Amino acid sequence: MIYWWRQRTAIYRTFSCAITLAGACLLASCGSLAAPVMQAATATSDVIQQSVDEATATLPAPATPVPPTVTSTPPPTATPTELPTATPEPTSAPALSPIDRLVAVRDPFNGGMLFGTFQDAANYACSNCHLSDSEKENLGPGLLNIKERAATRIEGMSAAEYIYQSIVDSKAYTVEGFDAELMPQNWADIYSELEIFDIVAYLMTLEGRSDIDDPDPAPEDEASG
Ligand code: HEC
């Protein structure tokens, strides 16, 4: 086996050697041929012109493979088709709206202060009509756990979006059993956009044990107190 392999390698070596020699001979003959041609060419400018023409004529030929440009065009067409298909996937993951994102970085403490501040232009404070520590109704619905209810009020609207709309355009949705006319309509004139986002951020923090769905704790408290 090894012997056979060595023999083969030897044959290849001999073969490639022969090819190299043949190539060298060819180059040598070419060189010796080129020399007289060059000498003759320098003699007449016509011959030079001719060879220049020939050279120029041969140059465009390699340039003709320009079709590669045609071949390269299809790939770009394929790439844009793939990219838009891939984009929707990552986009669908973080589906936070501008309001969601803004409310998330606003100041709930300031929102709580504004919620309790009497405003002449409305003749009310939010807290005059809404309880923040209870789900029970006052003039308006109780706002404890409003985040949960707000998320289910309007299909496709996040909790923050719904609460924001409830403040700037309360008539867009009327809570069952309440008078849509009662809540002042001018909060967007009274509070700046960012102040309203503060109030929304505050309302989103109102979480606690339900005192409507689970009224049992009340009698217990009375009994123990
Ligand atoms: C004069 C009373 C009154 C005042 C003041 C008032 N609201 Fe209201 N609010 C209501 C009433 C009544 C409703 C229910 C009718 C409706 O949905 O439009 C309501 C609804 C809401 C809702 C929707 C509640 C739900 O369960 O869907 C939110 C949120 C809200 N108000 C926030 C506020 C905030 C914040 C302020 C202050 C900037 C405010 N309200 C001031 C009376 C008031």
Side-chain angles (χ1 to χ4, degrees):
M1 185 67 182
I2 293 166
Y3 174 74
W4 173 81
W5 177 246
R6 275 195 192 142
Q7 216 179 18
R8 264 191 73 159
T9 325
I11 289 166
Y12 279 134
R13 276 202 194 125
T14 325
F15 189 62
S16 54
C17 216
I19 288 172
T20 320
L21 270 170
C25 288
L26 251 166
L27 276 172
S29 61
C30 269
S32 53
L33 273 175
V37 169
M38 287 297 285
Q39 280 170 355
T42 37
T44 30
S45 55
D46 281 349
V47 179
I48 295 172
Q49 186 57 48
Q50 199 183 335
S51 59
V52 167
D53 287 348
E54 277 169 19
T56 344
T58 36
L59 275 175
T64 320
V66 169
T69 327
V70 184
T71 338
S72 62
T73 320
T77 329
T79 321
T81 334
E82 285 167 27
L83 280 174
T85 334
T87 320
E89 291 171 45
T91 321
S92 60
L96 288 179
S97 71
I99 289 181
D100 290 327
R101 274 179 272 154
L102 251 169
V103 166
V105 297
R106 291 308 299 174
D107 179 5
F109 183 79
N110 186 46
M113 302 259 286
L114 300 174
F115 186 84
T117 304
F118 181 89
Q119 295 293 341
D120 286 330
N123 202 30
Y124 283 103
C126 310
S127 56
N128 290 146
C129 297
H130 294 286
L131 299 171
S132 58
D133 59 353
S134 170
E135 291 179 344
K136 290 175 183 154
E137 65 181 67
N138 192 0
L139 288 176
L143 296 179
L144 180 67
N145 297 318
I146 181 63
K147 187 180 168 182
E148 279 173 37
R149 291 187 294 283
T152 63
R153 289 277 195 238
I154 296 176
E155 176 116 32
M157 221 183 224
S158 72
E161 287 170 330
Y162 169 78
I163 295 172
Y164 174 81
Q165 179 188 270
S166 296
I167 298 168
V168 299
D169 182 18
S170 70
K171 284 182 178 174
Y173 178 93
T174 304
V175 181
E176 208 186 313
F178 288 93
D179 179 3
E181 302 294 324
L182 199 57
M183 179 159 158
Q185 303 295 304
N186 56 346
W187 294 113
D189 302 329
I190 295 167
Y191 289 130
S192 74
E193 189 92 327
L194 292 181
E195 284 173 328
I196 292 172
F197 287 130
D198 284 348
I199 297 173
V200 177
Y202 163 70
L203 295 181
M204 299 275 281
T205 68
L206 302 180
E207 292 175 320
R209 186 166 185 167
S210 170
D211 54 358
I212 284 183
D213 300 338
D214 185 14
D216 292 341
E220 266 175 40
D221 287 346
E222 279 169 33
S224 62

